[in-house]
Amino acid sequence: MAVSQLVGAKIHRREDPRLITGHGRYTDDLTRTGLVHLAVVRSPHAHARIKSIGVEAAKKSPGVLGVFTAQDFKDIIAGPATHPVAPVFAPDKKVNPPRYPIAREEVCYQGEPVAVVVAEQRYQAADAAQLVDVEYDPLPAVMEIEEAMKPGSPKAHTDQPDNIAWDATYVPWEATEEAFKTADVVVKQRILQRRLSPNAIESRVVMAEYDPFDKRLTMWMSTQNPHWIRLFVSGALGMGEHSVRVVSHDVGGGFGSKISPYPEDYLVPAVSKLVERPVKWTETRTEAVQNAYAGRGQIYDVEASAKKDGTLLGMRVTQLLDCGAYIGTFGAFQTCACLLAGGAYKWKAISSRSIGVLTNKITTDPYRGAGRPEATHVAERMIDLLAVELKMDPVELRRKNFPAKEEFPFTQNFGLVMDSGDYNASLDKALKLFGYDQMRREQAEARKQGKLVGIGLSTWIEICGLGPGAVTGPATGGVVLSESAQVKVHPAGGVSIYVGTHNHGQGNDTTHAQIAADALGVPIEQIDIRHGDTNEGPGFGYGTYGSRTLAVGGVAINRACAKVVEKGKKVAAHILEAAEEDIVFDQGKFHVKGAPDKSKAFGEVAFAAYGQLPAGLEQGLEAVAYFEPPNFVWPFGAHICAVEVDAETGNAQITKYVAVDDCGNIINPMIVDGQLHGGIAQSIGQALYEEMVYDQDGQLRSATFLDYTIPSMNEIPNIQLDRTITPSPTNELGVKGIGEAGTIAATAAIINAICDAVSPLGIKHVDMPATPDRLWNQIKEARK
Amino acid sequence: MKPAPFEYDDPQTVAEALDLLARYGDECKLLAGGQSLVPLMNFRLARPGRLIDINRIDSLSGIKRDDGMLVIGAMTRHSAVEHSTEVAGGWPLLTEAVGWVGHGQIRNRGTVGGSVAHADPAAELPAAFAALDATFRVQAKRASRLIGWEQFFVSEFTTALAPDELVVAVEVPRPQPGVGAAFVEYARRHGDFALGGAAVTIKLDAGGHCEAVSIALLSAGPAPVRATSAESMLRGAIVDQASIRAAAVEATRGLRPTADLHGSTEYRLRLLQTMTQRALIKAAERAKATP
């Protein structure tokens, strides 16, 4: 292998100059000749029967080309792929209400599409949408998970038997009986994961153009996975995948909310078919806050037990998951929390069960971390609760129960094999960076002065790099989550690489080029990374989510490059008049073994590859590779947070934040740090600020950025980062994912610190978001 | 999303603006910095038939001193107040208060007149003007008048302005020498509307007694609240922890701040107490440090 030059280098993101100077190509920047605009008329009710839809006034409004309701689409959107639901880890689904992109008789969440209006201008479409006169018969809305589970509860869908989407037990309770019977200490806690709004700064946009002569459909849209959308939309519209092209240029964030298909993904192309004009829909911020697939929305009831000496024994976890009105395409992925709730620790036994519940709210689906932040929060909170009961330092309790470095690969309680780890190494480094002992002394002093100062840890782990076929095949209903790459070397030596992953902020255009530059030994400037167009590259791309882009997609690039080098050796052997097995490839040059001056540069070999070649050797220098990982990858790390709680205002101020993370080998340290900064900031949002709040009738109260409070730059403290490097044995690059790590790790560190801060008042647990009024109220109650 | 259709005028002089106001009155809305009105229009919560954009009337902008009094033109941007040495020198309470208004970009557009005419009870400047006993210069085609802050702020988003009237300037009397001032608020995020806040001025005599004091609260009720009974409690008393605490309790007596997603009435009430207390402590320290 070539001496690494670019892998590991802190080079600036190649995509940034374009993006930060306003020259990005987001879907809303694009237009087509003859473009018309679509506005969606949405249900103001969480649950209602549609009595009538009056469209006449809207049709007469200036510029309007048409107003369409469910019956107008029945012959166009008819295929089986409409709103598919992957079985994932909850195979025994009970109620899975069918979902059509536009409501027929019953609306089941606030914002469900009821009609669409198409007009020459966007303003005209918006004006006319307000003239559509829908008469509703309101039905009782079921909003709370536990209410929805009760027999006799109002139903989220009147035509379904009840609200139980699934009820899956992974390991039965009997399996942990011994671990609780023999325990010295048992702690129980309910832990809330409130609903979050993903809020990608670029809202969703769909533009579609149907060509009635060639019967081809082109869609431009903001998505994390164009090929999946092509699969779903072509199926629903009864078209072959060969006649549908999905293009996605720059995407301004996704966080999971741009994976699954949405109603508009079907409605916009269908309307283009109906009006025979290109059609664009741009989601408003109000629509995005209300109807982007939400994150989290779960309740955990957890018990954990241990021996006096701190040996962990048993855990029992029940996850109650608010699916919303329809099960998300990948919504059941969040049940992975039930398999990961043990965290980084050795337990004798763990039982877990997940119940998915339908409510009259927007669907929940994976949101940055998806199940893993929840699992970490459960594990890390339970460890701290046990530490309090055992009167042990939380650091000591963690150390006592880590698998040792030598025990990896380590098979955890649910049979998942943790590929590599050195949990003490990252913890040691974090403690040193944080100044743990000194900070504990300062805490003791501050407490004497009556200050509420706390320290919290999160020694998190993660499963990512989705994923091995043995797991992802059954989980998706047949599609293995491998990844593809195509490398084309042109005659003058330029390299075009087409990847099946998709950049929505991760910096792949840079990291992918770094990998290829090293693998091919060519300057990075000579490499172009292309993605986001289903008409380019391999037959299928799986997309970017689940921290898989590098650990799966990056490996596919490396392998496609290796295939190109192999072909290059054959060509080089021909022009160097040597035997193929005597050709050595090193730093961009092919030379004869033992004669480094007898060599041809990569460009010369590329040119020769398109010239006259001996019989049996085809022209061209290109290759496709698919990589199906044999296992997941398992990043880990240690986050330590210090907070001070102001008892009078309830404000929790993060005063110090340290994170030492391990994602295996690193391609670009700057991008790794950026992912961590962003992830931790998002986690601070969940821990302290964000929550979707509905009233009992199903109206979203937190419907603007005034009420749905995302932290801004001002609310994010200085974050000190460091790392350890434990290469992954799962792939030849030794890499793991880092895109979700910050979000997975940080809530537990912050909440543990807050719980520690208020512990002198006798408070044991604080839920998220730890808002000032909640904390103030909890402190007030504790002081009574 | 996008505003509903509206007519638009952009008068170049106050006289033209007053003509338009006289003609259209209730049908129209004045557009100043647009930091509150434009979002409301984009949500289609406000649907004015006509906008009168007064951004081109140069005579409405500027900060000057008039017989010792500070006169701030209605179209003066928040950032101009924030960076004015004139204001910082004589009216530091305003400098401190305006720093809490939204974010830098908002302060570059938002105007002093817009803020007072919008009359959001959580807004900083109305509370600061209340603490400083400001008066508003108001003009209409038919007549001009001066309105004291107490009469001006009627209720949430409601002022004493008639539909044909325009705020042209704010007059702020010069605080007495030796006054210490402080503006304190608490919001969930930097730039958010305050959950509670207090604007305070205080003057101490040589023996540490309170000679004069004003306490105005924001996010405390439908309009800025002057805590007059707390002020009289403190006047003449030795200013110490106990008297400040008692005054803070008195300041919030009888208030019922509105609950919302960010805080219950009880929480907001206690927060107002804390803010009052912190503002009084800060202002008293500053008064002591003032020669």
Side-chain angles (χ1 to χ4, degrees), chain A residues 666-678:
Chain A
I666 285 173
I667 307 298
N668 187 326
M670 194 187 279
I671 287 178
V672 168
D673 289 354
Q675 285 289 337
L676 283 163
H677 287 142

Side-chain angles (χ1 to χ4, degrees), chain B residues 93 126-133 149 180 182-183 197-202 210 212-218 220 224-235 243-252 255 272-273 275-281 283:
Chain B
L93 182 68
F129 288 140
L132 295 170
D133 285 313
W149 74 268
F183 188 97
V200 159
T201 69
I202 194 164
C210 171
V213 62
S214 68
I215 303 170
L217 307 179
L218 57 148
V225 171
R226 263 293 281 272
T228 46
S229 70
E231 290 172 4
S232 33
M233 236 174 97
L234 209 52
R235 220 170 282 126
S243 63
I244 283 176
R245 182 180 295 266
V249 172
E250 182 60 29
T252 56
L255 295 180
L272 283 166
Q273 259 178 40
M275 293 298 110
T276 307
Q277 196 174 332
R278 290 180 184 180
L280 281 168
I281 292 168

Side-chain angles (χ1 to χ4, degrees), chain B residues 184-222:
Chain B
V184 172
E185 73 168 51
Y186 180 69
R188 284 193 64 195
R189 296 171 301 180
H190 174 85
D192 275 353
F193 289 115
L195 296 178
V200 159
T201 69
I202 194 164
K203 185 171 161 61
L204 308 176
D205 69 12
H209 297 83
C210 171
E211 215 177 278
V213 62
S214 68
I215 303 170
L217 307 179
L218 57 148
S219 295

Side-chain angles (χ1 to χ4, degrees), chain A residues 384 394 434-456 640-647 651-656 749-761 763 775 779 783:
Chain A
D384 269 30
F434 186 78
Y436 186 74
D437 295 334
Q438 175 63 23
M439 288 292 283
R440 282 286 184 206
R441 283 193 289 275
E442 287 175 16
Q443 180 190 27
E445 278 308 305
R447 277 185 174 168
K448 280 184 203 158
Q449 297 161 33
K451 287 186 179 166
L452 300 177
V453 174
I455 295 168
I640 313 181
C641 173
V643 300
E644 180 166 357
V645 174
D646 180 339
N651 185 61
Q653 185 70 41
I654 298 175
T655 52
K656 193 167 196 172
I750 298 161
I751 294 296
N752 278 342
I754 292 173
C755 291
D756 186 40
V758 296
S759 64
L761 304 171
I763 297 170
L775 266 178
I779 291 167
R783 279 177 170 168

Side-chain angles (χ1 to χ4, degrees), chain A residues 604-723:
Chain A
E604 292 174 281
V605 171
F607 191 74
Y610 291 89
Q612 202 168 14
L613 294 171
L617 192 55
E618 281 177 23
Q619 272 75 16
L621 191 57
E622 59 185 88
V624 173
Y626 280 73
F627 174 60
E628 183 203 329
N631 187 6
F632 297 98
V633 289
W634 297 75
F636 59 92
H639 288 212
I640 313 181
C641 173
V643 300
E644 180 166 357
V645 174
D646 180 339
E648 288 182 311
T649 61
N651 185 61
Q653 185 70 41
I654 298 175
T655 52
K656 193 167 196 172
Y657 199 98
V658 160
V660 175
D661 298 301
D662 192 320
C663 59
N665 289 337
I666 285 173
I667 307 298
N668 187 326
M670 194 187 279
I671 287 178
V672 168
D673 289 354
Q675 285 289 337
L676 283 163
H677 287 142
I680 292 167
Q682 212 159 357
S683 218
I684 290 171
Q686 183 180 10
L688 301 178
Y689 296 96
E690 299 180 32
E691 178 183 5
M692 291 178 83
V693 182
Y694 292 84
D695 70 14
Q696 59 182 7
D697 297 325
Q699 302 290 313
L700 181 64
R701 293 181 65 203
S702 54
T704 69
F705 281 172
L706 272 181
D707 285 325
Y708 189 86
T709 46
I710 301 171
S712 72
M713 183 170 83
N714 297 290
E715 282 70 50
I716 306 302
N718 182 38
I719 299 166
Q720 282 176 271
L721 298 178
D722 205 339
R723 59 178 66 92

Side-chain angles (χ1 to χ4, degrees), chain A residues 225-233 259 330 476 479-481 534 540-543 545:
Chain A
N225 31 239
H227 290 86
W228 283 104
I229 298 297
R230 183 185 65 178
L231 181 70
F232 299 142
V233 171
I259 301 173
F330 298 104
T476 59
V479 182
V480 163
L481 296 180
T534 58
F540 198 79
Y542 298 76
Y545 42 81

Side-chain angles (χ1 to χ4, degrees), chain A residues 18-149:
Chain A
R18 178 176 87 246
L19 297 175
I20 64 180
T21 59
H23 292 84
R25 277 190 305 160
Y26 297 97
T27 307
D28 198 42
D29 296 325
L30 310 176
T31 189
R32 304 294 295 170
T33 303
L35 183 70
V36 293
H37 297 267
L38 181 141
V40 183
V41 178
R42 297 176 187 281
S43 168
H45 300 283
H47 200 191
R49 208 178 305 282
I50 300 168
K51 285 171 78 176
S52 63
I53 305 175
V55 297
E56 290 315 311
K59 276 186 173 165
K60 286 184 204 130
S61 190
V64 170
L65 278 80
V67 181
F68 305 105
T69 63
Q71 60 174 1
D72 299 305
F73 293 104
K74 67 180 191 298
D75 298 326
I76 296 181
I77 307 173
T82 311
H83 199 73
V85 171
V88 194
F89 306 113
D92 39 356
K93 281 201 178 62
K94 292 180 172 167
V95 174
N96 182 6
R99 182 176 185 186
Y100 197 68
I102 189 160
R104 288 188 264 222
E105 284 121 32
E106 193 173 318
V107 287
C108 296
Y109 66 90
Q110 185 190 29
E112 184 156 11
V114 174
V116 294
V117 176
V118 192
E120 295 286 349
Q121 295 171 19
R122 194 177 172 203
Y123 275 72
Q124 292 173 332
D127 291 344
Q130 296 201 315
L131 300 174
V132 175
D133 182 19
V134 188
E135 210 184 331
Y136 295 96
D137 216 348
L139 293 164
V142 54
M143 301 306 295
E144 299 302 326
I145 296 175
E146 286 174 297
E147 283 301 310
M149 287 168 64

